[in-house]
Amino acid sequence: MKALIKLELCNLFGLNVFRFSRDKKARRKSALLLVLWIALLALMFFYVGGLAYGLLFLGLGQIIPAYLTVLSSLLIFVFGILKAGGAIFRREGYDILCALPVSKNAVVAARLIRMYVENLLMTVAVMLPGLLVYAWNVRPHLKFYLAAVLWALSVPVIPMVGSVLIGTLVTGVTCRMRHKSVVAAGLSILAVFAIFYGCSRISALEDSFNPAILKELSVFILGLLEKIYPPAVWGGAAVVDGNLVICLLWLFVSLAVFLAAAMGVSLCFHGICRRLFSSRARHDYEMKELKEQSVLISLCRREFQRYFSSTVYVTNTILGPIMGCVLSATLLAVGRKRLERILPFPVDVGEFLPFALAGGFCMMTVTATSISMEGKNWWILKSLPLTAKSILDAKILMNLLLFLPFYILSELFTFLALRPGIVGFIWLLLIPAELILFSCVYGIVVNLHFPVLEWENEVSVVKQSVSAMLGGMGGFILAILGAVGLWMVPTGYEDIYKGLLCLAIFLVTAFLYRKDIGG
């Protein structure tokens, strides 16, 4: 188990490549990834620290540990559902491990410990800045720091185990299905939306907000947190009070839950892996009529087959378009006027909605990791008598065709909800379409410069690679900047601004395509 754990952790976040690789290009990519992680951590520190300071300013400092526990647990649980199946039942190295005298319990435990370490780092990134702000302002006793360390060690376990059990259940149910990746992705997405729905139901408690509750806002918020995740309130109170006994007790409980989950997963590990990785050959194949297709269509079909063969790939790229449809459907159900009343600041929903829709669609494009997902099979495409432009065009076309049904549905809902005029309808169609096209081209350009063709599992490509972070969020960030620019434009010049913005996006997209793809 020690050797397996070392193998699992030695190249965490590409550190092994950065330390020992003699390839200068690979070292530069690892260094860039490290810088990107540091930047994200700095952003997280700034956000969480500001949040903790705001709670202290309101006199709610005692709920900070519980609030941060709920926040980190939700992040671990949601993202864990999307990657648990691929991280535990990954194919890479399975054949070698089966041939070695290694127990399945050790294999499962090593992979779970890797997930725990990743989630522990996420927990520290979320909780540390808030607890530091609390400690700087309150100056608690030494027991507070010891209790905080013990509690932080136990925070990732319960949400991680929950996500692992859901991932194992989904993988086990779908492992013998013909289209198991699509079904598994659908079940994972349903689980994520169920979490979102459960959290949104808490907003129904706003009717009970009265002056009496406002006077005891701390009690009210603790009640909300207890409805979301009761252990967070217990642990938060123990950290504030410096109760080491409760923190130690919960740490032992978390360890017992971890061991029980490892034993439960190991019981079905080999069975699920055999069903996932084995195939049955049919001997009744008959040659039928052959059909001729263009190179672009054939490559596009191949991209769709590769896309739907990966559960992690589907779940991480299809959530954005689904959220876009949910947003437009919510607008249709709630109504424009009611939505404008709910928003915390006065805003014309019709003006900013195209950017909101585009942001949802551009959260994570398929092209941002489409080259990296080829992995060791990339040489097959390179050896065929095909131009690089044909291969890359097929990847872009596949991404656009995948988003097209969601785009049409969200535009239909939005049109029925807003009933815009001709000019408003043009912007409603044009702005999201141009941003989606830009995000697809920009994503594949970034992936061309930062490909990862040697990877342990698909999770590291889809979630942790440089191209996934830089390329997948390009259109989303541009949509936010476009909305901020519209908010700063003087009244009466909105249409001119949108026209100039669309022209600029088109020119940038054409330049990127011509320079890196069409040249």
Side-chain angles (χ1 to χ4, degrees), residues 89-120:
F89 303 101
R90 63 177 186 267
R91 186 167 189 166
E92 288 72 20
Y94 176 72
D95 296 335
I96 298 176
L97 289 174
C98 288
L100 295 175
V102 177
S103 68
K104 59 184 179 181
N105 296 333
V107 176
V108 172
R111 295 183 178 184
L112 286 176
I113 288 174
R114 173 173 179 155
M115 289 186 63
Y116 170 77
V117 171
E118 293 176 346
N119 292 327
L120 180 62

PDB file of all heavy atoms in Angstrom, residues 89-120:
ATOM      1  N   PHE A  89     -12.069   3.839 -10.888  1.00  0.00           N
ATOM      2  CA  PHE A  89     -12.130   2.715 -11.834  1.00  0.00           C
ATOM      3  C   PHE A  89     -11.464   3.100 -13.155  1.00  0.00           C
ATOM      4  O   PHE A  89     -12.000   2.859 -14.225  1.00  0.00           O
ATOM      5  CB  PHE A  89     -13.589   2.322 -12.073  1.00  0.00           C
ATOM      6  CG  PHE A  89     -14.330   1.962 -10.831  1.00  0.00           C
ATOM      7  CD1 PHE A  89     -15.190   2.874 -10.236  1.00  0.00           C
ATOM      8  CD2 PHE A  89     -14.151   0.742 -10.216  1.00  0.00           C
ATOM      9  CE1 PHE A  89     -15.888   2.559  -9.081  1.00  0.00           C
ATOM     10  CE2 PHE A  89     -14.831   0.404  -9.050  1.00  0.00           C
ATOM     11  CZ  PHE A  89     -15.696   1.314  -8.479  1.00  0.00           C
ATOM     12  N   ARG A  90     -10.316   3.717 -13.087  1.00  0.00           N
ATOM     13  CA  ARG A  90      -9.635   4.116 -14.313  1.00  0.00           C
ATOM     14  C   ARG A  90      -8.913   2.919 -14.928  1.00  0.00           C
ATOM     15  O   ARG A  90      -8.434   2.023 -14.219  1.00  0.00           O
ATOM     16  CB  ARG A  90      -8.650   5.249 -14.053  1.00  0.00           C
ATOM     17  CG  ARG A  90      -7.516   4.938 -13.136  1.00  0.00           C
ATOM     18  CD  ARG A  90      -6.575   6.133 -13.030  1.00  0.00           C
ATOM     19  NE  ARG A  90      -5.388   5.828 -12.254  1.00  0.00           N
ATOM     20  CZ  ARG A  90      -5.264   6.047 -10.970  1.00  0.00           C
ATOM     21  NH1 ARG A  90      -6.260   6.584 -10.298  1.00  0.00           N
ATOM     22  NH2 ARG A  90      -4.137   5.743 -10.340  1.00  0.00           N
ATOM     23  N   ARG A  91      -8.801   2.945 -16.231  1.00  0.00           N
ATOM     24  CA  ARG A  91      -8.255   1.797 -16.956  1.00  0.00           C
ATOM     25  C   ARG A  91      -6.732   1.768 -16.954  1.00  0.00           C
ATOM     26  O   ARG A  91      -6.131   0.689 -16.988  1.00  0.00           O
ATOM     27  CB  ARG A  91      -8.765   1.836 -18.405  1.00  0.00           C
ATOM     28  CG  ARG A  91      -8.389   0.613 -19.209  1.00  0.00           C
ATOM     29  CD  ARG A  91      -9.177   0.552 -20.497  1.00  0.00           C
ATOM     30  NE  ARG A  91      -8.994  -0.717 -21.176  1.00  0.00           N
ATOM     31  CZ  ARG A  91      -9.761  -1.132 -22.179  1.00  0.00           C
ATOM     32  NH1 ARG A  91     -10.747  -0.374 -22.606  1.00  0.00           N
ATOM     33  NH2 ARG A  91      -9.537  -2.295 -22.755  1.00  0.00           N
ATOM     34  N   GLU A  92      -6.105   2.941 -16.948  1.00  0.00           N
ATOM     35  CA  GLU A  92      -4.657   3.009 -17.049  1.00  0.00           C
ATOM     36  C   GLU A  92      -4.003   2.275 -15.881  1.00  0.00           C
ATOM     37  O   GLU A  92      -4.245   2.596 -14.717  1.00  0.00           O
ATOM     38  CB  GLU A  92      -4.185   4.474 -17.081  1.00  0.00           C
ATOM     39  CG  GLU A  92      -4.495   5.190 -18.371  1.00  0.00           C
ATOM     40  CD  GLU A  92      -5.957   5.507 -18.533  1.00  0.00           C
ATOM     41  OE1 GLU A  92      -6.685   5.516 -17.516  1.00  0.00           O
ATOM     42  OE2 GLU A  92      -6.391   5.716 -19.683  1.00  0.00           O
ATOM     43  N   GLY A  93      -3.175   1.302 -16.188  1.00  0.00           N
ATOM     44  CA  GLY A  93      -2.457   0.558 -15.165  1.00  0.00           C
ATOM     45  C   GLY A  93      -3.216  -0.598 -14.565  1.00  0.00           C
ATOM     46  O   GLY A  93      -2.650  -1.347 -13.757  1.00  0.00           O
ATOM     47  N   TYR A  94      -4.493  -0.783 -14.953  1.00  0.00           N
ATOM     48  CA  TYR A  94      -5.290  -1.851 -14.327  1.00  0.00           C
ATOM     49  C   TYR A  94      -4.745  -3.228 -14.685  1.00  0.00           C
ATOM     50  O   TYR A  94      -4.645  -4.113 -13.828  1.00  0.00           O
ATOM     51  CB  TYR A  94      -6.743  -1.719 -14.763  1.00  0.00           C
ATOM     52  CG  TYR A  94      -7.629  -2.830 -14.259  1.00  0.00           C
ATOM     53  CD1 TYR A  94      -7.988  -2.908 -12.918  1.00  0.00           C
ATOM     54  CD2 TYR A  94      -8.080  -3.831 -15.112  1.00  0.00           C
ATOM     55  CE1 TYR A  94      -8.776  -3.935 -12.446  1.00  0.00           C
ATOM     56  CE2 TYR A  94      -8.876  -4.856 -14.656  1.00  0.00           C
ATOM     57  CZ  TYR A  94      -9.228  -4.916 -13.326  1.00  0.00           C
ATOM     58  OH  TYR A  94     -10.010  -5.931 -12.872  1.00  0.00           O
ATOM     59  N   ASP A  95      -4.362  -3.432 -15.965  1.00  0.00           N
ATOM     60  CA  ASP A  95      -3.844  -4.734 -16.388  1.00  0.00           C
ATOM     61  C   ASP A  95      -2.553  -5.081 -15.664  1.00  0.00           C
ATOM     62  O   ASP A  95      -2.321  -6.242 -15.289  1.00  0.00           O
ATOM     63  CB  ASP A  95      -3.612  -4.733 -17.900  1.00  0.00           C
ATOM     64  CG  ASP A  95      -4.910  -4.568 -18.677  1.00  0.00           C
ATOM     65  OD1 ASP A  95      -5.963  -4.934 -18.122  1.00  0.00           O
ATOM     66  OD2 ASP A  95      -4.868  -4.078 -19.818  1.00  0.00           O
ATOM     67  N   ILE A  96      -1.701  -4.082 -15.449  1.00  0.00           N
ATOM     68  CA  ILE A  96      -0.437  -4.333 -14.752  1.00  0.00           C
ATOM     69  C   ILE A  96      -0.699  -4.680 -13.290  1.00  0.00           C
ATOM     70  O   ILE A  96      -0.101  -5.617 -12.734  1.00  0.00           O
ATOM     71  CB  ILE A  96       0.470  -3.096 -14.856  1.00  0.00           C
ATOM     72  CG1 ILE A  96       0.792  -2.810 -16.323  1.00  0.00           C
ATOM     73  CG2 ILE A  96       1.746  -3.281 -14.044  1.00  0.00           C
ATOM     74  CD1 ILE A  96       1.590  -1.555 -16.531  1.00  0.00           C
ATOM     75  N   LEU A  97      -1.606  -3.960 -12.657  1.00  0.00           N
ATOM     76  CA  LEU A  97      -1.900  -4.220 -11.248  1.00  0.00           C
ATOM     77  C   LEU A  97      -2.515  -5.603 -11.056  1.00  0.00           C
ATOM     78  O   LEU A  97      -2.264  -6.266 -10.049  1.00  0.00           O
ATOM     79  CB  LEU A  97      -2.843  -3.152 -10.699  1.00  0.00           C
ATOM     80  CG  LEU A  97      -2.238  -1.755 -10.519  1.00  0.00           C
ATOM     81  CD1 LEU A  97      -3.327  -0.773 -10.098  1.00  0.00           C
ATOM     82  CD2 LEU A  97      -1.134  -1.787  -9.482  1.00  0.00           C
ATOM     83  N   CYS A  98      -3.338  -6.031 -12.020  1.00  0.00           N
ATOM     84  CA  CYS A  98      -3.958  -7.354 -11.895  1.00  0.00           C
ATOM     85  C   CYS A  98      -2.920  -8.471 -11.957  1.00  0.00           C
ATOM     86  O   CYS A  98      -3.109  -9.538 -11.364  1.00  0.00           O
ATOM     87  CB  CYS A  98      -4.980  -7.551 -13.015  1.00  0.00           C
ATOM     88  SG  CYS A  98      -6.480  -6.579 -12.802  1.00  0.00           S
ATOM     89  N   ALA A  99      -1.827  -8.237 -12.686  1.00  0.00           N
ATOM     90  CA  ALA A  99      -0.794  -9.262 -12.812  1.00  0.00           C
ATOM     91  C   ALA A  99       0.152  -9.296 -11.619  1.00  0.00           C
ATOM     92  O   ALA A  99       0.916 -10.252 -11.458  1.00  0.00           O
ATOM     93  CB  ALA A  99       0.011  -9.022 -14.094  1.00  0.00           C
ATOM     94  N   LEU A 100       0.107  -8.276 -10.778  1.00  0.00           N
ATOM     95  CA  LEU A 100       0.999  -8.213  -9.626  1.00  0.00           C
ATOM     96  C   LEU A 100       0.323  -8.807  -8.387  1.00  0.00           C
ATOM     97  O   LEU A 100      -0.904  -8.813  -8.288  1.00  0.00           O
ATOM     98  CB  LEU A 100       1.384  -6.759  -9.351  1.00  0.00           C
ATOM     99  CG  LEU A 100       2.214  -6.049 -10.427  1.00  0.00           C
ATOM    100  CD1 LEU A 100       2.406  -4.592 -10.053  1.00  0.00           C
ATOM    101  CD2 LEU A 100       3.567  -6.732 -10.607  1.00  0.00           C
ATOM    102  N   PRO A 101       1.119  -9.295  -7.427  1.00  0.00           N
ATOM    103  CA  PRO A 101       0.539  -9.812  -6.173  1.00  0.00           C
ATOM    104  C   PRO A 101       0.118  -8.675  -5.245  1.00  0.00           C
ATOM    105  O   PRO A 101       0.677  -8.482  -4.158  1.00  0.00           O
ATOM    106  CB  PRO A 101       1.686 -10.640  -5.591  1.00  0.00           C
ATOM    107  CG  PRO A 101       2.917  -9.973  -6.107  1.00  0.00           C
ATOM    108  CD  PRO A 101       2.587  -9.489  -7.486  1.00  0.00           C
ATOM    109  N   VAL A 102      -0.855  -7.914  -5.693  1.00  0.00           N
ATOM    110  CA  VAL A 102      -1.333  -6.751  -4.947  1.00  0.00           C
ATOM    111  C   VAL A 102      -2.822  -6.940  -4.686  1.00  0.00           C
ATOM    112  O   VAL A 102      -3.583  -7.278  -5.602  1.00  0.00           O
ATOM    113  CB  VAL A 102      -1.096  -5.448  -5.740  1.00  0.00           C
ATOM    114  CG1 VAL A 102      -1.664  -4.255  -4.989  1.00  0.00           C
ATOM    115  CG2 VAL A 102       0.384  -5.262  -6.002  1.00  0.00           C
ATOM    116  N   SER A 103      -3.254  -6.714  -3.458  1.00  0.00           N
ATOM    117  CA  SER A 103      -4.673  -6.901  -3.141  1.00  0.00           C
ATOM    118  C   SER A 103      -5.484  -5.733  -3.668  1.00  0.00           C
ATOM    119  O   SER A 103      -4.998  -4.594  -3.778  1.00  0.00           O
ATOM    120  CB  SER A 103      -4.851  -7.021  -1.620  1.00  0.00           C
ATOM    121  OG  SER A 103      -4.555  -5.793  -0.995  1.00  0.00           O
ATOM    122  N   LYS A 104      -6.721  -6.014  -3.985  1.00  0.00           N
ATOM    123  CA  LYS A 104      -7.608  -4.955  -4.475  1.00  0.00           C
ATOM    124  C   LYS A 104      -7.884  -3.916  -3.393  1.00  0.00           C
ATOM    125  O   LYS A 104      -8.132  -2.757  -3.689  1.00  0.00           O
ATOM    126  CB  LYS A 104      -8.916  -5.559  -4.969  1.00  0.00           C
ATOM    127  CG  LYS A 104      -9.676  -6.357  -3.909  1.00  0.00           C
ATOM    128  CD  LYS A 104     -10.909  -7.016  -4.486  1.00  0.00           C
ATOM    129  CE  LYS A 104     -11.644  -7.830  -3.418  1.00  0.00           C
ATOM    130  NZ  LYS A 104     -12.835  -8.513  -3.965  1.00  0.00           N
ATOM    131  N   ASN A 105      -7.827  -4.342  -2.129  1.00  0.00           N
ATOM    132  CA  ASN A 105      -8.028  -3.377  -1.041  1.00  0.00           C
ATOM    133  C   ASN A 105      -6.950  -2.297  -1.057  1.00  0.00           C
ATOM    134  O   ASN A 105      -7.233  -1.115  -0.840  1.00  0.00           O
ATOM    135  CB  ASN A 105      -8.006  -4.096   0.312  1.00  0.00           C
ATOM    136  CG  ASN A 105      -9.143  -5.088   0.457  1.00  0.00           C
ATOM    137  OD1 ASN A 105     -10.179  -4.930  -0.159  1.00  0.00           O
ATOM    138  ND2 ASN A 105      -8.935  -6.107   1.265  1.00  0.00           N
ATOM    139  N   ALA A 106      -5.704  -2.702  -1.327  1.00  0.00           N
ATOM    140  CA  ALA A 106      -4.610  -1.735  -1.363  1.00  0.00           C
ATOM    141  C   ALA A 106      -4.772  -0.782  -2.542  1.00  0.00           C
ATOM    142  O   ALA A 106      -4.500   0.419  -2.431  1.00  0.00           O
ATOM    143  CB  ALA A 106      -3.270  -2.466  -1.452  1.00  0.00           C
ATOM    144  N   VAL A 107      -5.206  -1.301  -3.692  1.00  0.00           N
ATOM    145  CA  VAL A 107      -5.398  -0.461  -4.881  1.00  0.00           C
ATOM    146  C   VAL A 107      -6.482   0.577  -4.616  1.00  0.00           C
ATOM    147  O   VAL A 107      -6.306   1.778  -4.890  1.00  0.00           O
ATOM    148  CB  VAL A 107      -5.755  -1.331  -6.101  1.00  0.00           C
ATOM    149  CG1 VAL A 107      -6.061  -0.443  -7.309  1.00  0.00           C
ATOM    150  CG2 VAL A 107      -4.623  -2.285  -6.428  1.00  0.00           C
ATOM    151  N   VAL A 108      -7.614   0.133  -4.081  1.00  0.00           N
ATOM    152  CA  VAL A 108      -8.725   1.053  -3.805  1.00  0.00           C
ATOM    153  C   VAL A 108      -8.324   2.069  -2.751  1.00  0.00           C
ATOM    154  O   VAL A 108      -8.598   3.276  -2.891  1.00  0.00           O
ATOM    155  CB  VAL A 108      -9.968   0.256  -3.352  1.00  0.00           C
ATOM    156  CG1 VAL A 108     -11.062   1.195  -2.877  1.00  0.00           C
ATOM    157  CG2 VAL A 108     -10.487  -0.606  -4.500  1.00  0.00           C
ATOM    158  N   ALA A 109      -7.654   1.614  -1.684  1.00  0.00           N
ATOM    159  CA  ALA A 109      -7.254   2.535  -0.623  1.00  0.00           C
ATOM    160  C   ALA A 109      -6.290   3.593  -1.148  1.00  0.00           C
ATOM    161  O   ALA A 109      -6.391   4.778  -0.792  1.00  0.00           O
ATOM    162  CB  ALA A 109      -6.615   1.759   0.525  1.00  0.00           C
ATOM    163  N   ALA A 110      -5.343   3.195  -2.008  1.00  0.00           N
ATOM    164  CA  ALA A 110      -4.388   4.159  -2.553  1.00  0.00           C
ATOM    165  C   ALA A 110      -5.092   5.212  -3.402  1.00  0.00           C
ATOM    166  O   ALA A 110      -4.767   6.406  -3.323  1.00  0.00           O
ATOM    167  CB  ALA A 110      -3.333   3.430  -3.376  1.00  0.00           C
ATOM    168  N   ARG A 111      -6.055   4.801  -4.211  1.00  0.00           N
ATOM    169  CA  ARG A 111      -6.766   5.760  -5.052  1.00  0.00           C
ATOM    170  C   ARG A 111      -7.672   6.668  -4.223  1.00  0.00           C
ATOM    171  O   ARG A 111      -7.822   7.851  -4.542  1.00  0.00           O
ATOM    172  CB  ARG A 111      -7.572   5.011  -6.116  1.00  0.00           C
ATOM    173  CG  ARG A 111      -6.672   4.253  -7.089  1.00  0.00           C
ATOM    174  CD  ARG A 111      -7.426   3.555  -8.203  1.00  0.00           C
ATOM    175  NE  ARG A 111      -6.501   2.899  -9.113  1.00  0.00           N
ATOM    176  CZ  ARG A 111      -6.861   2.268 -10.227  1.00  0.00           C
ATOM    177  NH1 ARG A 111      -8.150   2.195 -10.558  1.00  0.00           N
ATOM    178  NH2 ARG A 111      -5.946   1.717 -11.008  1.00  0.00           N
ATOM    179  N   LEU A 112      -8.258   6.113  -3.162  1.00  0.00           N
ATOM    180  CA  LEU A 112      -9.062   6.957  -2.276  1.00  0.00           C
ATOM    181  C   LEU A 112      -8.192   7.950  -1.509  1.00  0.00           C
ATOM    182  O   LEU A 112      -8.608   9.099  -1.290  1.00  0.00           O
ATOM    183  CB  LEU A 112      -9.842   6.079  -1.298  1.00  0.00           C
ATOM    184  CG  LEU A 112     -11.034   5.322  -1.870  1.00  0.00           C
ATOM    185  CD1 LEU A 112     -11.649   4.421  -0.801  1.00  0.00           C
ATOM    186  CD2 LEU A 112     -12.096   6.272  -2.400  1.00  0.00           C
ATOM    187  N   ILE A 113      -6.995   7.522  -1.114  1.00  0.00           N
ATOM    188  CA  ILE A 113      -6.100   8.443  -0.410  1.00  0.00           C
ATOM    189  C   ILE A 113      -5.660   9.572  -1.326  1.00  0.00           C
ATOM    190  O   ILE A 113      -5.530  10.727  -0.900  1.00  0.00           O
ATOM    191  CB  ILE A 113      -4.887   7.677   0.158  1.00  0.00           C
ATOM    192  CG1 ILE A 113      -5.345   6.812   1.338  1.00  0.00           C
ATOM    193  CG2 ILE A 113      -3.773   8.625   0.586  1.00  0.00           C
ATOM    194  CD1 ILE A 113      -4.276   5.907   1.896  1.00  0.00           C
ATOM    195  N   ARG A 114      -5.461   9.272  -2.602  1.00  0.00           N
ATOM    196  CA  ARG A 114      -5.135  10.350  -3.548  1.00  0.00           C
ATOM    197  C   ARG A 114      -6.284  11.348  -3.619  1.00  0.00           C
ATOM    198  O   ARG A 114      -6.059  12.571  -3.612  1.00  0.00           O
ATOM    199  CB  ARG A 114      -4.843   9.784  -4.925  1.00  0.00           C
ATOM    200  CG  ARG A 114      -4.680  10.868  -5.972  1.00  0.00           C
ATOM    201  CD  ARG A 114      -4.238  10.364  -7.289  1.00  0.00           C
ATOM    202  NE  ARG A 114      -4.130  11.457  -8.237  1.00  0.00           N
ATOM    203  CZ  ARG A 114      -3.351  11.454  -9.302  1.00  0.00           C
ATOM    204  NH1 ARG A 114      -2.577  10.416  -9.554  1.00  0.00           N
ATOM    205  NH2 ARG A 114      -3.316  12.480 -10.126  1.00  0.00           N
ATOM    206  N   MET A 115      -7.518  10.849  -3.712  1.00  0.00           N
ATOM    207  CA  MET A 115      -8.663  11.757  -3.719  1.00  0.00           C
ATOM    208  C   MET A 115      -8.734  12.559  -2.430  1.00  0.00           C
ATOM    209  O   MET A 115      -9.052  13.758  -2.452  1.00  0.00           O
ATOM    210  CB  MET A 115      -9.961  10.954  -3.913  1.00  0.00           C
ATOM    211  CG  MET A 115     -10.153  10.369  -5.291  1.00  0.00           C
ATOM    212  SD  MET A 115     -11.778   9.596  -5.473  1.00  0.00           S
ATOM    213  CE  MET A 115     -12.851  11.024  -5.262  1.00  0.00           C
ATOM    214  N   TYR A 116      -8.421  11.909  -1.318  1.00  0.00           N
ATOM    215  CA  TYR A 116      -8.464  12.616  -0.029  1.00  0.00           C
ATOM    216  C   TYR A 116      -7.441  13.747   0.007  1.00  0.00           C
ATOM    217  O   TYR A 116      -7.741  14.854   0.482  1.00  0.00           O
ATOM    218  CB  TYR A 116      -8.202  11.638   1.111  1.00  0.00           C
ATOM    219  CG  TYR A 116      -8.004  12.322   2.439  1.00  0.00           C
ATOM    220  CD1 TYR A 116      -9.070  12.827   3.162  1.00  0.00           C
ATOM    221  CD2 TYR A 116      -6.718  12.491   2.967  1.00  0.00           C
ATOM    222  CE1 TYR A 116      -8.884  13.476   4.377  1.00  0.00           C
ATOM    223  CE2 TYR A 116      -6.519  13.129   4.175  1.00  0.00           C
ATOM    224  CZ  TYR A 116      -7.607  13.628   4.874  1.00  0.00           C
ATOM    225  OH  TYR A 116      -7.411  14.273   6.063  1.00  0.00           O
ATOM    226  N   VAL A 117      -6.234  13.495  -0.482  1.00  0.00           N
ATOM    227  CA  VAL A 117      -5.193  14.526  -0.474  1.00  0.00           C
ATOM    228  C   VAL A 117      -5.613  15.706  -1.346  1.00  0.00           C
ATOM    229  O   VAL A 117      -5.449  16.878  -0.964  1.00  0.00           O
ATOM    230  CB  VAL A 117      -3.850  13.932  -0.948  1.00  0.00           C
ATOM    231  CG1 VAL A 117      -2.817  15.034  -1.146  1.00  0.00           C
ATOM    232  CG2 VAL A 117      -3.341  12.913   0.056  1.00  0.00           C
ATOM    233  N   GLU A 118      -6.158  15.426  -2.531  1.00  0.00           N
ATOM    234  CA  GLU A 118      -6.629  16.512  -3.403  1.00  0.00           C
ATOM    235  C   GLU A 118      -7.730  17.317  -2.717  1.00  0.00           C
ATOM    236  O   GLU A 118      -7.737  18.560  -2.764  1.00  0.00           O
ATOM    237  CB  GLU A 118      -7.132  15.939  -4.723  1.00  0.00           C
ATOM    238  CG  GLU A 118      -6.043  15.324  -5.586  1.00  0.00           C
ATOM    239  CD  GLU A 118      -6.587  14.677  -6.835  1.00  0.00           C
ATOM    240  OE1 GLU A 118      -7.824  14.460  -6.907  1.00  0.00           O
ATOM    241  OE2 GLU A 118      -5.803  14.382  -7.751  1.00  0.00           O
ATOM    242  N   ASN A 119      -8.671  16.616  -2.088  1.00  0.00           N
ATOM    243  CA  ASN A 119      -9.772  17.309  -1.412  1.00  0.00           C
ATOM    244  C   ASN A 119      -9.295  18.043  -0.161  1.00  0.00           C
ATOM    245  O   ASN A 119      -9.838  19.097   0.189  1.00  0.00           O
ATOM    246  CB  ASN A 119     -10.865  16.311  -1.044  1.00  0.00           C
ATOM    247  CG  ASN A 119     -11.565  15.745  -2.262  1.00  0.00           C
ATOM    248  OD1 ASN A 119     -11.716  16.431  -3.281  1.00  0.00           O
ATOM    249  ND2 ASN A 119     -11.987  14.495  -2.185  1.00  0.00           N
ATOM    250  N   LEU A 120      -8.278  17.495   0.503  1.00  0.00           N
ATOM    251  CA  LEU A 120      -7.734  18.187   1.673  1.00  0.00           C
ATOM    252  C   LEU A 120      -7.084  19.511   1.269  1.00  0.00           C
ATOM    253  O   LEU A 120      -7.230  20.528   1.962  1.00  0.00           O
ATOM    254  CB  LEU A 120      -6.721  17.292   2.385  1.00  0.00           C
ATOM    255  CG  LEU A 120      -6.057  17.883   3.633  1.00  0.00           C
ATOM    256  CD1 LEU A 120      -7.092  18.187   4.704  1.00  0.00           C
ATOM    257  CD2 LEU A 120      -4.993  16.933   4.177  1.00  0.00           C
TER     258      LEU A 120
END
